[in-house]
Amino acid sequence: MGEKRNLYGLDLMKFIAAMLVVSGHVRPLLSYSLELDVFVIHVLARVTIQFFFMTAGYLLFRKITFPIKDNKQNRIILYNYVKRILILYSVWFGIYTLVILVFFTNSVPFNLYGFYIFYKFLLAGSHLWYLLALGVGMVVTYFLLQRFSFKTVLILGAVLYLVGVFGDAYYGVARDAGIAAPFDLYLSLFNTTRDGLFFGTFFVSAGVYFVKHDFRIRRPFLGYFVFMVAMTFEVFLLRAYSQPLNFNMMIFALPASVCLFSGMLEIQLKERKIYKWLRDGSLIVYLVHPLLMMVLPMLFASVGLGSLYRNSLVQFFAVASTSYAFAWGLMTLTKKWSVLHLLY
């Protein structure tokens, strides 16, 4: 697959992507400009999860031997990866269940219906959806590649993604066109098309294609810039003339994220210990930042700085900095207590 190249560009982009994920939840510019806030959270931040999917597919399938069919070692590698994802999901789901349950029971009288609403939100609305979607995307891609060519799997993944946009950013378009019924049914069962099937399949398989074919895009950052400009128009047009359910899945996010991934693969950085720290730390930041979003307002209020925390930029820097401080502390403690590695 050509000369050996380091992957520190991917580690650096993971750090940037984690910050963009935080910005998508905290909305750092909301206190200053709605338009700039929309640009950050619905344009810049909307290629991050795609990047994470592609990176995961790239890294896992480096270990997979092709052809995949009837290879026991391949199945063991996939099984161990999915098991690790499920353990990670279970641990953090348990943490968030306990924490949010404390918030829930302290704010409203406890009742079973209220707990059901809370539990449904935790299942479908929390950031932990990505872990389950990643596991599903890996399994679906693996079994598709057992039976079909790379080209067929990529085309199928792209079709699934383009169908999925009508259950997300293009839902209003689907409704106006009179084709929303099947999406309403799917959403009533699974809450979102932002999942491992519609969202994850293409990007995981694209990551596999990059590693198995040593594929690169010429002038990837130019392509990234062009498609991000197109996505900017896409977002603001959808906001003005349609009624999106969300902005997780947009048409121009697909080529933009592929160009970004290709570009970051090409970046060669000197050996630095910080890249491994960014690699693991970015995952921890992704997992822990919503918890800090719940805790920090109380901490600021307790020291008389509640009004300061209402500034969106202060919120962003507070959540981002404490998330990485937590990540550093956790990774440091893991050197002494390896059991903590269950958290990341």
Side-chain angles (χ1 to χ4, degrees):
M1 294 188 297
E3 63 176 308
K4 186 176 180 180
R5 303 173 67 84
N6 69 56
L7 301 176
Y8 298 140
L10 297 185
D11 296 329
L12 176 62
M13 188 60 215
K14 281 186 176 182
F15 165 76
I16 298 171
M19 292 296 94
L20 287 171
V21 169
V22 174
S23 73
H25 293 152
V26 177
R27 305 186 66 172
L29 299 179
L30 188 59
S31 297
Y32 304 94
S33 167
L34 178 61
E35 289 74 21
L36 285 176
D37 176 68
V38 169
F39 176 73
V40 170
I41 68 172
H42 290 324
V43 180
L44 292 182
R46 293 302 178 173
V47 296
T48 55
I49 301 301
Q50 294 91 326
F51 179 85
F52 285 136
F53 274 125
M54 283 186 282
T55 301
Y58 183 95
L59 295 175
L60 177 64
F61 279 81
R62 293 173 83 195
K63 307 172 187 176
I64 297 292
T65 302
F66 278 69
I68 293 178
K69 194 172 183 180
D70 299 326
N71 188 310
K72 182 178 179 181
Q73 186 60 33
N74 284 344
R75 291 195 296 271
I76 292 173
I77 292 171
L78 179 67
Y79 170 78
N80 288 335
Y81 185 86
V82 174
K83 181 176 73 172
R84 172 66 182 146
I85 291 292
L86 291 176
I87 290 173
L88 197 59
Y89 177 84
S90 300
V91 168
W92 282 96
F93 187 86
I95 291 172
Y96 276 95
T97 298
L98 291 175
V99 171
I100 299 178
L101 186 58
V102 170
F103 275 76
F104 177 82
T105 54
N106 286 335
S107 60
V108 297
F110 179 81
N111 62 75
L112 291 178
Y113 178 73
F115 181 75
Y116 165 74
I117 296 299
F118 142 75
Y119 195 72
K120 186 177 180 181
F121 163 78
L122 194 58
L123 280 172
S126 79
H127 65 305
L128 298 178
W129 71 269
Y130 166 72
L131 294 175
L132 291 183
L134 180 59
V136 171
M138 288 294 189
V139 172
V140 169
T141 299
Y142 180 90
F143 283 104
L144 286 176
L145 288 172
Q146 277 189 318
R147 293 161 176 79
F148 305 106
S149 68
F150 270 106
K151 182 178 180 180
T152 300
V153 174
L154 284 171
I155 291 173
L156 177 60
V159 170
L160 285 169
Y161 181 85
L162 293 175
V163 170
V165 301
F166 292 102
D168 195 91
Y170 283 79
Y171 176 80
V173 175
R175 189 190 57 191
D176 293 341
I179 59 171
F183 297 100
D184 287 333
L185 176 60
Y186 188 87
L187 294 173
S188 70
L189 296 172
F190 302 104
N191 294 292
T192 179
T193 54
R194 178 202 60 181
D195 55 25
L197 179 64
F198 289 101
F199 196 169
T201 301
F202 174 80
F203 295 107
V204 171
S205 59
V208 181
Y209 189 83
F210 270 98
V211 70
K212 292 303 180 182
H213 288 77
D214 199 25
F215 177 71
R216 299 294 185 272
I217 295 172
R218 290 185 180 182
R219 304 179 72 181
F221 290 114
L222 175 60
Y224 170 72
F225 174 78
V226 170
F227 288 122
M228 290 297 281
V229 170
M231 189 164 71
T232 302
F233 283 101
E234 182 181 17
V235 167
F236 282 94
L237 286 172
L238 285 171
R239 280 173 52 84
Y241 299 107
S242 183
Q243 292 184 313
L245 289 181
N246 212 315
F247 290 91
N248 297 299
M249 301 175 70
M250 288 174 290
I251 291 173
F252 286 106
L254 189 151
S257 56
V258 172
C259 288
L260 175 63
F261 182 79
S262 182
M264 298 311 296
L265 275 178
E266 289 299 294
I267 291 180
Q268 292 296 285
L269 301 170
K270 293 182 179 180
E271 179 78 30
R272 295 287 188 274
K273 290 183 179 180
I274 192 173
Y275 296 122
K276 184 182 185 307
W277 186 88
L278 291 178
R279 187 185 316 151
D280 292 337
S282 298
L283 173 61
I284 298 171
V285 167
Y286 180 87
L287 293 168
V288 77
H289 76 272
L291 183 60
L292 294 171
M293 287 173 64
M294 290 185 281
V295 173
L296 284 174
M298 295 185 295
L299 291 179
F300 271 74
S302 69
V303 294
L305 296 175
S307 59
L308 176 64
Y309 191 77
R310 285 194 286 272
N311 180 280
S312 60
L313 202 56
V314 171
Q315 290 180 34
F316 172 74
F317 282 114
V319 173
S321 60
T322 54
S323 294
Y324 265 103
F326 179 89
W328 176 83
L330 179 59
M331 288 186 286
T332 301
L333 291 174
T334 303
K335 296 176 182 178
K336 185 175 182 179
W337 296 295
S338 59
V339 68
L340 293 176
H341 217 304
L342 286 172
L343 292 171
Y344 66 99

